[in-house]
Amino acid sequence: MKVELFVPCFVDQLYPETAFNTLKLLEKSGCKVEYNSKQTCCGQPAYNAGYWDEAKEVGTKFLSDFTENTYVVAPSASCVGMVKGGYNDLFTNTIVHNKCRSLQSNIWELSDFLINVAKKDYFGAELEGKAVYHDSCSALRECKIKDEPRQLLSKVHGLEMLEMKDTDMCCGFGGTFAVKFDAISSAMAEQKVNHALDQQADYIISTDLSCLLHLQGYIDKNNLPIKTMHIADVLCNGWLESTEY
């Protein structure tokens, strides 16, 4: 199965290890992974800020960077949600309409792809401790992902998964929302982290590094005894070279 890897721009710049772990997971699932080093951004920041002309320019490049009839997988429900939803506003009834529709049907968030396409839920990962899963707005509402990450995390040795209160509530990031309404955004992060601490969790895990970046910032500022982790990093944790899958 051939897969094209889409690494969101902020993952590339801030969390490259998550990109490499995504590659490892896809390869362990039996996929032949291709990566176009010329790829950049899906256009979501400009789109969310209201700069649709600029978002369309970036999105046009995105459409040219990927093959329309090949699976495209990304470690970010937020960016996948942008392509699946936001591109309807940018490219409906344009000259790239058909290619856009084809790519929209073939782009997948990582956990969704592993469970529903690759049919893999066990990777031999190990992580000691208690964890809660945060349903990002994009994963839950745009990509309709809920059970897939939980199924994958339930197979991690040593990890006790707990459900926190209001797991489906926004963490407060929301892209430019965190900049325009910083006080509200911080209060929402505080609420989310406190719900995790109420469960005595060691980790907050999610599909979206944008949420985790926001939550980790609050955690670090307040020196709290909890850590955020992307699901790809969890699923690759504790691997041994001799382990067979």
Side-chain angles (χ1 to χ4, degrees):
M1 186 187 306
K2 187 173 81 169
V3 168
E4 294 182 7
L5 176 60
F6 167 38
V7 179
C9 49
F10 69 95
V11 176
D12 176 72
Q13 294 297 309
L14 301 176
Y15 301 98
E17 187 63 30
T18 301
F20 283 112
N21 284 336
T22 300
L23 171 63
K24 293 175 185 177
L25 289 167
L26 291 172
E27 289 181 337
K28 289 291 185 183
S29 299
C31 298
K32 179 182 178 182
V33 184
E34 296 182 357
Y35 176 74
N36 181 356
S37 61
K38 295 182 180 180
Q39 63 178 271
T40 52
C41 176
C42 66
Q44 182 182 185
Y47 176 84
N48 287 344
Y51 295 97
W52 283 21
D53 289 340
E54 290 80 358
K56 188 173 182 179
E57 182 178 352
V58 176
T60 299
K61 181 183 184 305
F62 180 92
L63 292 176
S64 69
D65 286 338
F66 294 93
T67 307
E68 57 191 292
N69 295 316
T70 302
Y71 289 119
V72 177
V73 179
S76 169
S78 176
C79 295
V80 170
M82 170 61 188
V83 176
K84 284 184 173 292
Y87 278 23
N88 290 336
D89 293 323
L90 302 179
F91 299 112
T92 297
N93 296 327
T94 67
I95 58 174
V96 294
H97 176 101
N98 290 337
K99 180 169 185 178
C100 179
R101 291 292 180 267
S102 294
L103 204 150
Q104 285 176 316
S105 66
N106 285 309
I107 190 167
W108 294 76
E109 182 275 328
L110 176 63
S111 69
D112 195 11
F113 179 85
L114 293 176
I115 294 295
N116 295 312
V117 180
K119 307 296 183 183
K120 301 285 186 180
D121 66 0
Y122 176 71
F123 294 92
E126 297 181 2
L127 181 64
E128 292 291 334
K130 298 179 180 180
V132 293
Y133 175 75
H134 162 59
D135 291 282
S136 74
C137 298
S138 297
L140 188 64
R141 295 172 177 84
E142 294 181 353
C143 299
K144 311 302 180 186
I145 298 167
K146 184 174 178 67
D147 295 332
E148 292 84 355
R150 290 172 169 83
Q151 182 176 338
L152 289 162
L153 293 170
S154 71
K155 301 296 179 70
V156 176
H157 296 287
L159 186 63
E160 181 182 355
M161 291 302 301
L162 304 165
E163 285 291 326
M164 63 177 164
K165 182 181 178 182
D166 297 331
T167 183
D168 58 348
M169 295 293 287
C170 179
C171 69
F173 179 64
T176 54
F177 177 87
V179 178
K180 294 180 179 178
F181 304 99
D182 60 312
I184 299 174
S185 175
S186 297
M188 294 171 74
E190 178 183 14
Q191 181 180 28
K192 178 68 66 171
V193 172
N194 283 341
H195 287 333
L197 291 172
D198 287 342
Q199 295 295 322
Q200 298 183 324
D202 302 297
Y203 305 99
I204 301 174
I205 302 170
S206 185
T207 58
D208 280 86
L209 280 165
S210 51
C211 298
L212 299 179
L213 172 70
H214 179 58
L215 294 174
Q216 191 65 53
Y218 177 81
I219 291 168
D220 291 344
K221 181 179 179 181
N222 294 279
N223 297 312
L224 299 174
I226 195 168
K227 179 183 178 181
T228 60
M229 289 187 73
H230 188 276
I231 190 169
D233 301 325
V234 175
L235 295 178
C236 288
N237 197 70
W239 277 11
L240 297 175
E241 291 299 326
S242 59
T243 302
E244 295 183 1
Y245 300 90

